Amino acid sequence: MENSQKALVLLRQIIRSTDMQDKEISRGTGVTPPQLMVMQTLRENTQLTSGELAKEMVLTQATITSILDRLEKKELVARERGKDDKRKVWVSLTDKGTELMKGAPTTQQDIFVRNFEDMQNWEQSMVVASLERIAFMLNAQHLDAAPLLDIGELDRTQQ
Amino acid sequence: MENSQKALVLLRQIIRSTDMQDKEISRGTGVTPPQLMVMQTLRENTQLTSGELAKEMVLTQATITSILDRLEKKELVARERGKDDKRKVWVSLTDKGTELMKGAPTTQQDIFVRNFEDMQNWEQSMVVASLERIAFMLNAQHLDAAPLLDIGELDRTQQ
DNA sequence: AATTATTAATTAGATATGCTAATTATATTT
DNA sequence: AAATATAATTAGCATATCTAATTAATAATT
């Protein structure tokens, strides 16, 4: 088989694998994958407005609103109207939400990290370099397909 | 940053990237991502029963049924009751469905393949080896989390 | 200053996903 | 023949996601 074909098959396998992990976490925590992704984004950014969240996750504001509604009902996130600019709504994890994020999600990552660290140093570097290559190619691909769109996106991924 | 952290970030980036590509294809073809995935699976396997499809995609039969309903209404797939065993329903792409699969989806892959083939041979091998490593680690991870489950799954990915 | 335009978020309404449980039809077993 | 198993569908529910319309607040313009 061609190397490129192998790469594609492996990529699909990897994506499938993480997808199933997500579902597993989801079942374990009682939080759906999209909800979990919102929470992960919040964990990394402390405070975001609905709009920023939507942009970051490439979803409509309306979609984010409905996901937040459900997360708020479970008391995993809190909304607070902006004091400076009252149109804005700042979203953040509650204590309960932070607590939940300390559980299952990291466990999975820990396993990955443990396995990863079992590799020789040269192999680790090789893997990282390869992933960088792939990420770059996929990005180029995306740019090919949508030439003018979202410069912001490009900036962000290159930081 | 740790190598393992870098790897995680890159993986997330890659998944995000392919995710957005899927959405793009979806917009271009008027077929939703899950529907597209069903069609891809069918393209690779010519003929499958609903049940086999469900197993392959790790979804419930009920879910597959509803996706097939919509694909059938668009005349992209056809259902045929099994003659030998009348409980089974064989699903396949229609001409129209096959035609559609020749368009956008492959275009995206083509870009990837072209980029990939621009790499030196040693680099191609490196990337494939790395992806294999990752795929294996993610699989191990999955097994750690769900020890006894789905031997069939394991068989399939190791073929 | 008053009007107009823009921005931020929500609501309303539609379609699609995905689940579990129940149902229908056919095959297999005892 | 009766009981059990299998394949697919249906029904009913919660969620996700979109577009279009609405509400509220801020910014810009005349």
Side-chain angles (χ1 to χ4, degrees), chain A residues 87-159:
Chain A
R87 290 170 306 178
K88 294 184 178 173
V89 165
W90 295 95
V91 189
S92 58
L93 292 180
T94 61
D95 290 351
K96 192 174 162 193
T98 309
E99 194 53 38
L100 188 141
M101 292 304 285
K102 282 185 188 150
T106 45
T107 305
Q108 299 269 344
Q109 283 198 0
D110 286 350
I111 297 174
F112 179 90
V113 169
R114 209 188 317 136
N115 279 314
F116 191 92
E117 283 171 353
D118 279 349
M119 290 194 292
Q120 301 286 320
N121 213 281
W122 66 267
E123 202 169 6
Q124 292 186 8
S125 308
M126 180 183 90
V127 169
V128 169
S130 298
L131 288 177
E132 272 166 357
R133 212 78 173 77
I134 295 268
F136 181 81
M137 276 167 47
L138 289 176
N139 236 316
Q141 186 171 1
H142 185 249
L143 295 182
D144 265 10
L148 291 181
L149 245 75
D150 62 18
I151 308 274
E153 180 66 22
L154 184 61
D155 285 339
R156 210 178 310 132
T157 56
Q158 285 185 340
Q159 275 167 17

Side-chain angles (χ1 to χ4, degrees), chain A residues 116 119-135, chain B residues 3-4 6-7 10 14 119 121-134 137:
Chain A
F116 191 92
M119 290 194 292
Q120 301 286 320
N121 213 281
W122 66 267
E123 202 169 6
Q124 292 186 8
S125 308
M126 180 183 90
V127 169
V128 169
S130 298
L131 288 177
E132 272 166 357
R133 212 78 173 77
I134 295 268
Chain B
N3 271 332
S4 54
K6 280 191 206 163
L10 285 166
I14 287 170
M119 291 194 290
N121 213 283
W122 67 268
E123 202 169 7
Q124 292 186 7
S125 307
M126 180 184 89
V127 169
V128 169
S130 298
L131 288 177
E132 274 166 356
R133 211 78 173 79
I134 296 268
M137 277 168 47

